[in-house]
mmCIF file of all heavy atoms in Angstrom:
data_model
loop_
_atom_site.group_PDB
_atom_site.id
_atom_site.type_symbol
_atom_site.label_atom_id
_atom_site.label_comp_id
_atom_site.label_asym_id
_atom_site.label_seq_id
_atom_site.Cartn_x
_atom_site.Cartn_y
_atom_site.Cartn_z
ATOM 1 N N GLY A 115 194.881 207.772 -43.005
ATOM 2 C CA GLY A 115 194.221 206.700 -43.734
ATOM 3 C C GLY A 115 194.596 206.723 -45.197
ATOM 4 O O GLY A 115 195.715 207.109 -45.532
ATOM 5 N N ALA A 116 193.661 206.301 -46.060
ATOM 6 C CA ALA A 116 193.960 206.201 -47.483
ATOM 7 C C ALA A 116 194.287 207.553 -48.159
ATOM 8 O O ALA A 116 194.958 207.614 -49.170
ATOM 9 C CB ALA A 116 192.828 205.523 -48.211
ATOM 10 N N LEU A 117 193.785 208.650 -47.582
ATOM 11 C CA LEU A 117 194.072 209.957 -48.156
ATOM 12 C C LEU A 117 195.539 210.326 -47.985
ATOM 13 O O LEU A 117 196.070 211.107 -48.777
ATOM 14 C CB LEU A 117 193.192 211.048 -47.507
ATOM 15 C CG LEU A 117 191.810 211.242 -48.042
ATOM 16 C CD1 LEU A 117 191.086 212.334 -47.283
ATOM 17 C CD2 LEU A 117 191.793 211.530 -49.533
ATOM 18 N N CYS A 118 196.180 209.828 -46.927
ATOM 19 C CA CYS A 118 197.600 210.109 -46.698
ATOM 20 C C CYS A 118 198.264 208.853 -46.129
ATOM 21 O O CYS A 118 198.557 208.796 -44.930
ATOM 22 C CB CYS A 118 197.753 211.333 -45.759
ATOM 23 S SG CYS A 118 196.767 211.229 -44.246
ATOM 24 N N GLU A 119 198.444 207.879 -46.941
ATOM 25 C CA GLU A 119 198.993 206.606 -46.520
ATOM 26 C C GLU A 119 200.384 206.750 -45.935
ATOM 27 O O GLU A 119 201.213 207.499 -46.407
ATOM 28 C CB GLU A 119 199.009 205.615 -47.706
ATOM 29 C CG GLU A 119 197.622 205.251 -48.249
ATOM 30 C CD GLU A 119 197.697 204.291 -49.393
ATOM 31 O OE1 GLU A 119 198.832 203.920 -49.771
ATOM 32 O OE2 GLU A 119 196.620 203.930 -49.919
ATOM 33 N N GLY A 120 200.598 206.017 -44.819
ATOM 34 C CA GLY A 120 201.908 206.039 -44.187
ATOM 35 C C GLY A 120 202.032 207.137 -43.170
ATOM 36 O O GLY A 120 203.060 207.209 -42.486
ATOM 37 N N THR A 121 201.043 208.012 -43.057
ATOM 38 C CA THR A 121 201.103 209.099 -42.084
ATOM 39 C C THR A 121 200.311 208.714 -40.834
ATOM 40 O O THR A 121 199.179 208.233 -40.905
ATOM 41 C CB THR A 121 200.495 210.374 -42.655
ATOM 42 O OG1 THR A 121 201.210 210.716 -43.874
ATOM 43 C CG2 THR A 121 200.619 211.538 -41.702
ATOM 44 N N VAL A 122 200.934 208.881 -39.647
ATOM 45 C CA VAL A 122 200.286 208.543 -38.379
ATOM 46 C C VAL A 122 200.247 209.792 -37.470
ATOM 47 O O VAL A 122 201.258 210.489 -37.353
ATOM 48 C CB VAL A 122 201.056 207.416 -37.670
ATOM 49 C CG1 VAL A 122 200.382 207.101 -36.331
ATOM 50 C CG2 VAL A 122 201.102 206.191 -38.562
ATOM 51 N N TYR A 123 199.110 210.033 -36.888
ATOM 52 C CA TYR A 123 198.977 211.176 -36.008
ATOM 53 C C TYR A 123 198.544 210.695 -34.625
ATOM 54 O O TYR A 123 198.037 209.604 -34.431
ATOM 55 C CB TYR A 123 197.924 212.171 -36.528
ATOM 56 C CG TYR A 123 198.318 212.836 -37.803
ATOM 57 C CD1 TYR A 123 197.688 212.511 -39.004
ATOM 58 C CD2 TYR A 123 199.363 213.766 -37.833
ATOM 59 C CE1 TYR A 123 198.062 213.130 -40.198
ATOM 60 C CE2 TYR A 123 199.731 214.383 -39.018
ATOM 61 C CZ TYR A 123 199.052 214.062 -40.195
ATOM 62 O OH TYR A 123 199.434 214.665 -41.359
ATOM 63 N N THR A 124 198.783 211.507 -33.641
ATOM 64 C CA THR A 124 198.448 211.170 -32.252
ATOM 65 C C THR A 124 196.947 211.421 -32.002
ATOM 66 O O THR A 124 196.299 212.151 -32.709
ATOM 67 C CB THR A 124 199.283 212.010 -31.263
ATOM 68 O OG1 THR A 124 198.936 213.395 -31.432
ATOM 69 C CG2 THR A 124 200.782 211.837 -31.505
ATOM 70 N N GLU A 125 196.448 210.818 -30.927
ATOM 71 C CA GLU A 125 195.024 210.974 -30.601
ATOM 72 C C GLU A 125 194.706 212.351 -30.052
ATOM 73 O O GLU A 125 193.550 212.778 -29.995
ATOM 74 C CB GLU A 125 194.607 209.906 -29.593
ATOM 75 C CG GLU A 125 194.672 208.474 -30.133
ATOM 76 C CD GLU A 125 194.202 207.467 -29.120
ATOM 77 O OE1 GLU A 125 193.844 207.878 -27.996
ATOM 78 O OE2 GLU A 125 194.156 206.261 -29.461
ATOM 79 N N GLY A 126 195.743 213.079 -29.632
ATOM 80 C CA GLY A 126 195.532 214.409 -29.088
ATOM 81 C C GLY A 126 195.301 215.467 -30.129
ATOM 82 O O GLY A 126 195.070 216.650 -29.802
ATOM 83 N N GLY A 127 195.424 215.139 -31.384
ATOM 84 C CA GLY A 127 195.236 216.122 -32.453
ATOM 85 C C GLY A 127 196.560 216.656 -32.998
ATOM 86 O O GLY A 127 197.592 216.555 -32.327
ATOM 87 N N GLU A 128 196.514 217.167 -34.202
ATOM 88 C CA GLU A 128 197.695 217.701 -34.878
ATOM 89 C C GLU A 128 197.420 219.138 -35.339
ATOM 90 O O GLU A 128 196.293 219.535 -35.570
ATOM 91 C CB GLU A 128 198.028 216.853 -36.108
ATOM 92 C CG GLU A 128 198.476 215.451 -35.783
ATOM 93 C CD GLU A 128 199.792 215.377 -35.030
ATOM 94 O OE1 GLU A 128 200.652 216.216 -35.351
ATOM 95 O OE2 GLU A 128 199.905 214.532 -34.126
ATOM 96 N N PRO A 129 198.468 219.944 -35.442
ATOM 97 C CA PRO A 129 198.283 221.304 -35.937
ATOM 98 C C PRO A 129 198.062 221.400 -37.421
ATOM 99 O O PRO A 129 197.561 222.393 -37.931
ATOM 100 C CB PRO A 129 199.577 222.010 -35.525
ATOM 101 C CG PRO A 129 200.583 220.922 -35.478
ATOM 102 C CD PRO A 129 199.871 219.710 -35.025
ATOM 103 N N ARG A 130 198.434 220.330 -38.159
ATOM 104 C CA ARG A 130 198.330 220.400 -39.616
ATOM 105 C C ARG A 130 198.154 218.973 -40.201
ATOM 106 O O ARG A 130 198.800 218.042 -39.735
ATOM 107 C CB ARG A 130 199.571 221.037 -40.182
ATOM 108 C CG ARG A 130 199.514 221.267 -41.709
ATOM 109 C CD ARG A 130 200.819 221.888 -42.181
ATOM 110 N NE ARG A 130 201.061 223.206 -41.587
ATOM 111 C CZ ARG A 130 200.663 224.336 -42.161
ATOM 112 N NH1 ARG A 130 200.055 224.307 -43.312
ATOM 113 N NH2 ARG A 130 200.916 225.493 -41.569
ATOM 114 N N ILE A 131 197.278 218.899 -41.187
ATOM 115 C CA ILE A 131 197.099 217.654 -41.956
ATOM 116 C C ILE A 131 197.224 218.001 -43.416
ATOM 117 O O ILE A 131 196.471 218.860 -43.904
ATOM 118 C CB ILE A 131 195.745 216.973 -41.629
ATOM 119 C CG1 ILE A 131 195.800 216.323 -40.235
ATOM 120 C CG2 ILE A 131 195.420 215.941 -42.661
ATOM 121 C CD1 ILE A 131 194.552 215.581 -39.872
ATOM 122 N N ASN A 132 198.103 217.338 -44.121
ATOM 123 C CA ASN A 132 198.334 217.593 -45.533
ATOM 124 C C ASN A 132 198.101 216.332 -46.369
ATOM 125 O O ASN A 132 198.446 215.217 -45.924
ATOM 126 C CB ASN A 132 199.772 218.077 -45.768
ATOM 127 C CG ASN A 132 200.112 219.334 -45.018
ATOM 128 O OD1 ASN A 132 199.268 220.194 -44.815
ATOM 129 N ND2 ASN A 132 201.374 219.436 -44.597
ATOM 130 N N PHE A 133 197.503 216.488 -47.500
ATOM 131 C CA PHE A 133 197.411 215.396 -48.470
ATOM 132 C C PHE A 133 197.177 215.999 -49.856
ATOM 133 O O PHE A 133 196.758 217.168 -49.993
ATOM 134 C CB PHE A 133 196.323 214.386 -48.085
ATOM 135 C CG PHE A 133 194.976 214.996 -47.915
ATOM 136 C CD1 PHE A 133 194.117 215.182 -48.994
ATOM 137 C CD2 PHE A 133 194.503 215.328 -46.667
ATOM 138 C CE1 PHE A 133 192.843 215.712 -48.797
ATOM 139 C CE2 PHE A 133 193.260 215.870 -46.462
ATOM 140 C CZ PHE A 133 192.402 216.052 -47.556
ATOM 141 N N THR A 134 197.404 215.203 -50.879
ATOM 142 C CA THR A 134 197.293 215.674 -52.251
ATOM 143 C C THR A 134 196.201 214.868 -53.019
ATOM 144 O O THR A 134 196.211 213.643 -52.941
ATOM 145 C CB THR A 134 198.614 215.518 -53.010
ATOM 146 O OG1 THR A 134 199.622 216.311 -52.366
ATOM 147 C CG2 THR A 134 198.477 215.982 -54.454
ATOM 148 N N LEU A 135 195.308 215.581 -53.633
ATOM 149 C CA LEU A 135 194.269 214.940 -54.414
ATOM 150 C C LEU A 135 194.632 214.966 -55.871
ATOM 151 O O LEU A 135 195.119 215.962 -56.383
ATOM 152 C CB LEU A 135 192.946 215.679 -54.210
ATOM 153 C CG LEU A 135 192.149 215.427 -52.932
ATOM 154 C CD1 LEU A 135 190.844 216.283 -52.972
ATOM 155 C CD2 LEU A 135 191.819 213.985 -52.740
ATOM 156 N N GLY A 136 194.413 213.858 -56.555
ATOM 157 C CA GLY A 136 194.556 213.787 -58.015
ATOM 158 C C GLY A 136 193.212 213.557 -58.628
ATOM 159 O O GLY A 136 192.171 213.585 -57.969
ATOM 160 N N ASP A 137 193.184 213.278 -59.938
ATOM 161 C CA ASP A 137 191.938 213.047 -60.681
ATOM 162 C C ASP A 137 190.928 214.154 -60.447
ATOM 163 O O ASP A 137 189.757 213.896 -60.117
ATOM 164 C CB ASP A 137 191.314 211.697 -60.242
ATOM 165 C CG ASP A 137 192.261 210.514 -60.514
ATOM 166 O OD1 ASP A 137 192.745 210.388 -61.671
ATOM 167 O OD2 ASP A 137 192.516 209.754 -59.600
ATOM 168 N N LEU A 138 191.365 215.383 -60.621
ATOM 169 C CA LEU A 138 190.523 216.526 -60.354
ATOM 170 C C LEU A 138 189.638 216.864 -61.528
ATOM 171 O O LEU A 138 189.989 216.700 -62.696
ATOM 172 C CB LEU A 138 191.382 217.737 -60.032
ATOM 173 C CG LEU A 138 192.294 217.600 -58.799
ATOM 174 C CD1 LEU A 138 193.209 218.834 -58.702
ATOM 175 C CD2 LEU A 138 191.497 217.451 -57.537
ATOM 176 N N SER A 139 188.421 217.347 -61.219
ATOM 177 C CA SER A 139 187.507 217.764 -62.257
ATOM 178 C C SER A 139 186.481 218.679 -61.616
ATOM 179 O O SER A 139 186.064 218.486 -60.459
ATOM 180 C CB SER A 139 186.796 216.572 -62.886
ATOM 181 O OG SER A 139 185.714 216.991 -63.735
ATOM 182 N N GLU A 140 185.987 219.648 -62.358
ATOM 183 C CA GLU A 140 184.922 220.520 -61.842
ATOM 184 C C GLU A 140 183.593 219.799 -61.709
ATOM 185 O O GLU A 140 182.654 220.305 -61.157
ATOM 186 C CB GLU A 140 184.785 221.777 -62.711
ATOM 187 C CG GLU A 140 184.340 221.500 -64.106
ATOM 188 C CD GLU A 140 184.175 222.779 -64.935
ATOM 189 O OE1 GLU A 140 184.166 223.851 -64.314
ATOM 190 O OE2 GLU A 140 184.087 222.691 -66.167
ATOM 191 N N SER A 141 183.527 218.552 -62.253
ATOM 192 C CA SER A 141 182.311 217.789 -62.139
ATOM 193 C C SER A 141 182.160 217.137 -60.797
ATOM 194 O O SER A 141 181.061 216.713 -60.416
ATOM 195 C CB SER A 141 182.293 216.685 -63.234
ATOM 196 O OG SER A 141 182.337 217.247 -64.521
ATOM 197 N N PHE A 142 183.251 217.010 -60.038
ATOM 198 C CA PHE A 142 183.171 216.376 -58.731
ATOM 199 C C PHE A 142 182.752 217.373 -57.643
ATOM 200 O O PHE A 142 182.928 218.580 -57.774
ATOM 201 C CB PHE A 142 184.527 215.790 -58.299
ATOM 202 C CG PHE A 142 184.895 214.557 -59.085
ATOM 203 C CD1 PHE A 142 186.127 214.464 -59.740
ATOM 204 C CD2 PHE A 142 184.079 213.443 -59.101
ATOM 205 C CE1 PHE A 142 186.479 213.342 -60.421
ATOM 206 C CE2 PHE A 142 184.423 212.296 -59.808
ATOM 207 C CZ PHE A 142 185.625 212.254 -60.463
ATOM 208 N N LEU A 143 182.186 216.822 -56.563
ATOM 209 C CA LEU A 143 181.884 217.620 -55.400
ATOM 210 C C LEU A 143 182.924 217.324 -54.334
ATOM 211 O O LEU A 143 183.127 216.194 -53.928
ATOM 212 C CB LEU A 143 180.465 217.245 -54.845
ATOM 213 C CG LEU A 143 180.005 217.990 -53.588
ATOM 214 C CD1 LEU A 143 179.847 219.458 -53.895
ATOM 215 C CD2 LEU A 143 178.724 217.390 -53.062
ATOM 216 N N TYR A 144 183.619 218.369 -53.864
ATOM 217 C CA TYR A 144 184.699 218.179 -52.886
ATOM 218 C C TYR A 144 184.248 218.686 -51.517
ATOM 219 O O TYR A 144 184.224 219.901 -51.255
ATOM 220 C CB TYR A 144 185.956 218.954 -53.340
ATOM 221 C CG TYR A 144 186.507 218.398 -54.638
ATOM 222 C CD1 TYR A 144 186.091 218.916 -55.848
ATOM 223 C CD2 TYR A 144 187.447 217.369 -54.627
ATOM 224 C CE1 TYR A 144 186.599 218.394 -57.055
ATOM 225 C CE2 TYR A 144 187.939 216.858 -55.810
ATOM 226 C CZ TYR A 144 187.499 217.362 -57.020
ATOM 227 O OH TYR A 144 187.990 216.888 -58.205
ATOM 228 N N ARG A 145 183.842 217.760 -50.644
ATOM 229 C CA ARG A 145 183.436 218.101 -49.273
ATOM 230 C C ARG A 145 184.293 217.314 -48.315
ATOM 231 O O ARG A 145 184.467 216.092 -48.439
ATOM 232 C CB ARG A 145 181.950 217.745 -49.074
ATOM 233 C CG ARG A 145 180.954 218.611 -49.829
ATOM 234 C CD ARG A 145 179.558 218.317 -49.406
ATOM 235 N NE ARG A 145 178.521 218.973 -50.197
ATOM 236 C CZ ARG A 145 178.076 220.199 -49.965
ATOM 237 N NH1 ARG A 145 178.527 220.879 -48.929
ATOM 238 N NH2 ARG A 145 177.149 220.713 -50.755
ATOM 239 N N PHE A 146 184.818 218.033 -47.300
ATOM 240 C CA PHE A 146 185.662 217.414 -46.305
ATOM 241 C C PHE A 146 185.122 217.691 -44.915
ATOM 242 O O PHE A 146 184.828 218.829 -44.528
ATOM 243 C CB PHE A 146 187.105 217.990 -46.410
ATOM 244 C CG PHE A 146 187.705 217.829 -47.768
ATOM 245 C CD1 PHE A 146 187.612 218.844 -48.740
ATOM 246 C CD2 PHE A 146 188.371 216.673 -48.131
ATOM 247 C CE1 PHE A 146 188.155 218.677 -49.990
ATOM 248 C CE2 PHE A 146 188.914 216.495 -49.378
ATOM 249 C CZ PHE A 146 188.820 217.511 -50.327
ATOM 250 N N HIS A 147 185.001 216.592 -44.133
ATOM 251 C CA HIS A 147 184.567 216.661 -42.736
ATOM 252 C C HIS A 147 185.784 216.690 -41.849
ATOM 253 O O HIS A 147 186.599 215.754 -41.923
ATOM 254 C CB HIS A 147 183.630 215.508 -42.421
ATOM 255 C CG HIS A 147 183.069 215.550 -41.026
ATOM 256 N ND1 HIS A 147 183.762 215.042 -39.952
ATOM 257 C CD2 HIS A 147 181.899 216.026 -40.581
ATOM 258 C CE1 HIS A 147 183.032 215.226 -38.885
ATOM 259 N NE2 HIS A 147 181.890 215.813 -39.225
ATOM 260 N N ILE A 148 185.932 217.693 -41.016
ATOM 261 C CA ILE A 148 187.080 217.833 -40.139
ATOM 262 C C ILE A 148 186.632 217.605 -38.696
ATOM 263 O O ILE A 148 185.720 218.289 -38.216
ATOM 264 C CB ILE A 148 187.752 219.223 -40.246
ATOM 265 C CG1 ILE A 148 188.274 219.429 -41.664
ATOM 266 C CG2 ILE A 148 188.885 219.370 -39.275
ATOM 267 C CD1 ILE A 148 187.283 220.086 -42.600
ATOM 268 N N ARG A 149 187.256 216.667 -38.029
ATOM 269 C CA ARG A 149 186.940 216.363 -36.635
ATOM 270 C C ARG A 149 188.062 216.930 -35.743
ATOM 271 O O ARG A 149 189.234 216.648 -35.973
ATOM 272 C CB ARG A 149 186.779 214.868 -36.420
ATOM 273 C CG ARG A 149 186.176 214.502 -35.084
ATOM 274 C CD ARG A 149 185.642 213.065 -35.081
ATOM 275 N NE ARG A 149 186.688 212.102 -35.374
ATOM 276 C CZ ARG A 149 187.359 211.430 -34.430
ATOM 277 N NH1 ARG A 149 187.084 211.641 -33.135
ATOM 278 N NH2 ARG A 149 188.290 210.567 -34.735
ATOM 279 N N LEU A 150 187.690 217.702 -34.738
ATOM 280 C CA LEU A 150 188.642 218.361 -33.859
ATOM 281 C C LEU A 150 188.732 217.643 -32.501
ATOM 282 O O LEU A 150 187.761 217.033 -32.075
ATOM 283 C CB LEU A 150 188.208 219.806 -33.612
ATOM 284 C CG LEU A 150 188.013 220.669 -34.879
ATOM 285 C CD1 LEU A 150 187.576 222.063 -34.460
ATOM 286 C CD2 LEU A 150 189.248 220.701 -35.743
ATOM 287 N N ALA A 151 189.908 217.719 -31.912
ATOM 288 C CA ALA A 151 190.125 217.105 -30.586
ATOM 289 C C ALA A 151 189.368 217.861 -29.492
ATOM 290 O O ALA A 151 188.952 217.268 -28.500
ATOM 291 C CB ALA A 151 191.606 217.041 -30.273
ATOM 292 N N ASN A 152 189.233 219.150 -29.662
ATOM 293 C CA ASN A 152 188.516 219.991 -28.702
ATOM 294 C C ASN A 152 187.562 220.915 -29.439
ATOM 295 O O ASN A 152 187.692 221.137 -30.672
ATOM 296 C CB ASN A 152 189.518 220.855 -27.904
ATOM 297 C CG ASN A 152 190.485 220.018 -27.109
ATOM 298 O OD1 ASN A 152 190.094 219.207 -26.245
ATOM 299 N ND2 ASN A 152 191.792 220.167 -27.373
ATOM 300 N N PRO A 153 186.550 221.463 -28.766
ATOM 301 C CA PRO A 153 185.653 222.384 -29.448
ATOM 302 C C PRO A 153 186.405 223.538 -30.112
ATOM 303 O O PRO A 153 187.332 224.079 -29.567
ATOM 304 C CB PRO A 153 184.728 222.900 -28.304
ATOM 305 C CG PRO A 153 184.771 221.796 -27.291
ATOM 306 C CD PRO A 153 186.144 221.213 -27.367
ATOM 307 N N GLY A 154 186.014 223.859 -31.304
ATOM 308 C CA GLY A 154 186.633 224.905 -32.080
ATOM 309 C C GLY A 154 185.675 225.577 -33.018
ATOM 310 O O GLY A 154 184.556 225.081 -33.244
ATOM 311 N N THR A 155 186.072 226.719 -33.582
ATOM 312 C CA THR A 155 185.239 227.464 -34.514
ATOM 313 C C THR A 155 185.896 227.515 -35.865
ATOM 314 O O THR A 155 187.026 227.034 -36.073
ATOM 315 C CB THR A 155 185.012 228.881 -34.015
ATOM 316 O OG1 THR A 155 186.222 229.609 -33.996
ATOM 317 C CG2 THR A 155 184.445 228.854 -32.570
ATOM 318 N N LEU A 156 185.223 228.144 -36.815
ATOM 319 C CA LEU A 156 185.762 228.272 -38.161
ATOM 320 C C LEU A 156 187.059 229.071 -38.193
ATOM 321 O O LEU A 156 187.929 228.851 -39.028
ATOM 322 C CB LEU A 156 184.727 228.969 -39.062
ATOM 323 C CG LEU A 156 183.413 228.222 -39.278
ATOM 324 C CD1 LEU A 156 182.505 229.029 -40.175
ATOM 325 C CD2 LEU A 156 183.654 226.854 -39.864
ATOM 326 N N ASP A 157 187.208 229.989 -37.211
ATOM 327 C CA ASP A 157 188.414 230.808 -37.147
ATOM 328 C C ASP A 157 189.635 229.974 -36.742
ATOM 329 O O ASP A 157 190.792 230.395 -36.983
ATOM 330 C CB ASP A 157 188.253 231.948 -36.183
ATOM 331 C CG ASP A 157 187.194 232.977 -36.636
ATOM 332 O OD1 ASP A 157 187.014 233.065 -37.893
ATOM 333 O OD2 ASP A 157 186.569 233.629 -35.820
ATOM 334 N N ASP A 158 189.418 228.795 -36.104
ATOM 335 C CA ASP A 158 190.535 227.956 -35.688
ATOM 336 C C ASP A 158 191.085 227.129 -36.833
ATOM 337 O O ASP A 158 192.133 226.537 -36.662
ATOM 338 C CB ASP A 158 190.079 227.040 -34.524
ATOM 339 C CG ASP A 158 189.688 227.811 -33.298
ATOM 340 O OD1 ASP A 158 190.401 228.803 -32.981
ATOM 341 O OD2 ASP A 158 188.684 227.461 -32.650
ATOM 342 N N LEU A 159 190.403 227.063 -37.943
ATOM 343 C CA LEU A 159 190.818 226.201 -39.045
ATOM 344 C C LEU A 159 191.153 227.024 -40.275
ATOM 345 O O LEU A 159 190.376 227.801 -40.742
ATOM 346 C CB LEU A 159 189.714 225.214 -39.402
ATOM 347 C CG LEU A 159 190.040 224.260 -40.566
ATOM 348 C CD1 LEU A 159 191.070 223.203 -40.143
ATOM 349 C CD2 LEU A 159 188.784 223.580 -41.073
ATOM 350 N N GLY A 160 192.349 226.811 -40.795
ATOM 351 C CA GLY A 160 192.735 227.398 -42.056
ATOM 352 C C GLY A 160 192.907 226.318 -43.130
ATOM 353 O O GLY A 160 193.352 225.201 -42.823
ATOM 354 N N VAL A 161 192.465 226.612 -44.325
ATOM 355 C CA VAL A 161 192.565 225.657 -45.443
ATOM 356 C C VAL A 161 193.315 226.333 -46.560
ATOM 357 O O VAL A 161 192.944 227.447 -47.024
ATOM 358 C CB VAL A 161 191.171 225.220 -45.922
ATOM 359 C CG1 VAL A 161 191.329 224.077 -46.982
ATOM 360 C CG2 VAL A 161 190.314 224.724 -44.765
ATOM 361 N N PHE A 162 194.365 225.674 -47.053
ATOM 362 C CA PHE A 162 195.209 226.277 -48.095
ATOM 363 C C PHE A 162 195.526 225.250 -49.149
ATOM 364 O O PHE A 162 195.412 224.031 -48.933
ATOM 365 C CB PHE A 162 196.526 226.783 -47.472
ATOM 366 C CG PHE A 162 196.363 227.671 -46.275
ATOM 367 C CD1 PHE A 162 196.344 227.184 -44.994
ATOM 368 C CD2 PHE A 162 196.194 229.032 -46.475
ATOM 369 C CE1 PHE A 162 196.173 228.004 -43.899
ATOM 370 C CE2 PHE A 162 196.027 229.881 -45.403
ATOM 371 C CZ PHE A 162 196.035 229.365 -44.101
ATOM 372 N N VAL A 163 195.936 225.727 -50.282
ATOM 373 C CA VAL A 163 196.535 224.894 -51.323
ATOM 374 C C VAL A 163 197.997 225.284 -51.413
ATOM 375 O O VAL A 163 198.351 226.437 -51.719
ATOM 376 C CB VAL A 163 195.834 225.107 -52.691
ATOM 377 C CG1 VAL A 163 196.557 224.285 -53.776
ATOM 378 C CG2 VAL A 163 194.367 224.696 -52.597
ATOM 379 N N VAL A 164 198.897 224.338 -51.112
ATOM 380 C CA VAL A 164 200.339 224.586 -51.045
ATOM 381 C C VAL A 164 201.020 224.033 -52.269
ATOM 382 O O VAL A 164 201.267 222.828 -52.359
ATOM 383 C CB VAL A 164 200.920 223.980 -49.743
ATOM 384 C CG1 VAL A 164 202.378 224.407 -49.633
ATOM 385 C CG2 VAL A 164 200.162 224.438 -48.520
ATOM 386 N N TYR A 165 201.331 224.912 -53.210
ATOM 387 C CA TYR A 165 202.001 224.460 -54.449
ATOM 388 C C TYR A 165 203.504 224.245 -54.221
ATOM 389 O O TYR A 165 204.096 224.908 -53.394
ATOM 390 C CB TYR A 165 201.757 225.475 -55.553
ATOM 391 C CG TYR A 165 200.304 225.588 -55.987
ATOM 392 C CD1 TYR A 165 199.574 226.744 -55.752
ATOM 393 C CD2 TYR A 165 199.673 224.520 -56.623
ATOM 394 C CE1 TYR A 165 198.276 226.867 -56.143
ATOM 395 C CE2 TYR A 165 198.327 224.617 -57.004
ATOM 396 C CZ TYR A 165 197.648 225.793 -56.759
ATOM 397 O OH TYR A 165 196.343 225.882 -57.131
ATOM 398 N N GLN A 166 204.043 223.335 -54.987
ATOM 399 C CA GLN A 166 205.479 223.055 -54.914
ATOM 400 C C GLN A 166 206.269 224.179 -55.519
ATOM 401 O O GLN A 166 205.812 224.888 -56.434
ATOM 402 C CB GLN A 166 205.791 221.720 -55.633
ATOM 403 C CG GLN A 166 205.083 220.511 -55.066
ATOM 404 C CD GLN A 166 205.516 220.201 -53.642
ATOM 405 O OE1 GLN A 166 206.706 220.370 -53.316
ATOM 406 N NE2 GLN A 166 204.585 219.763 -52.822
ATOM 407 N N SER A 167 207.467 224.362 -55.039
ATOM 408 C CA SER A 167 208.328 225.436 -55.577
ATOM 409 C C SER A 167 208.734 225.104 -57.014
ATOM 410 O O SER A 167 208.935 223.939 -57.375
ATOM 411 C CB SER A 167 209.597 225.561 -54.695
ATOM 412 O OG SER A 167 210.337 224.339 -54.676
#
Side-chain angles (χ1 to χ4, degrees):
L117 277 179
C118 49
E119 295 181 0
T121 303
V122 178
Y123 294 110
T124 62
E125 294 183 359
E128 295 293 323
R130 185 181 297 268
I131 286 184
N132 300 327
F133 56 85
T134 299
L135 283 180
D137 300 309
L138 299 173
S139 170
E140 63 179 347
S141 299
F142 287 126
L143 179 66
Y144 296 90
R145 290 187 188 273
F146 303 94
H147 183 275
I148 297 92
R149 192 162 61 96
L150 305 178
N152 300 300
T155 67
L156 298 179
D157 294 333
D158 295 320
L159 179 72
V161 187
F162 307 92
V163 176
V164 185
Y165 294 113
Q166 299 295 324
S167 60

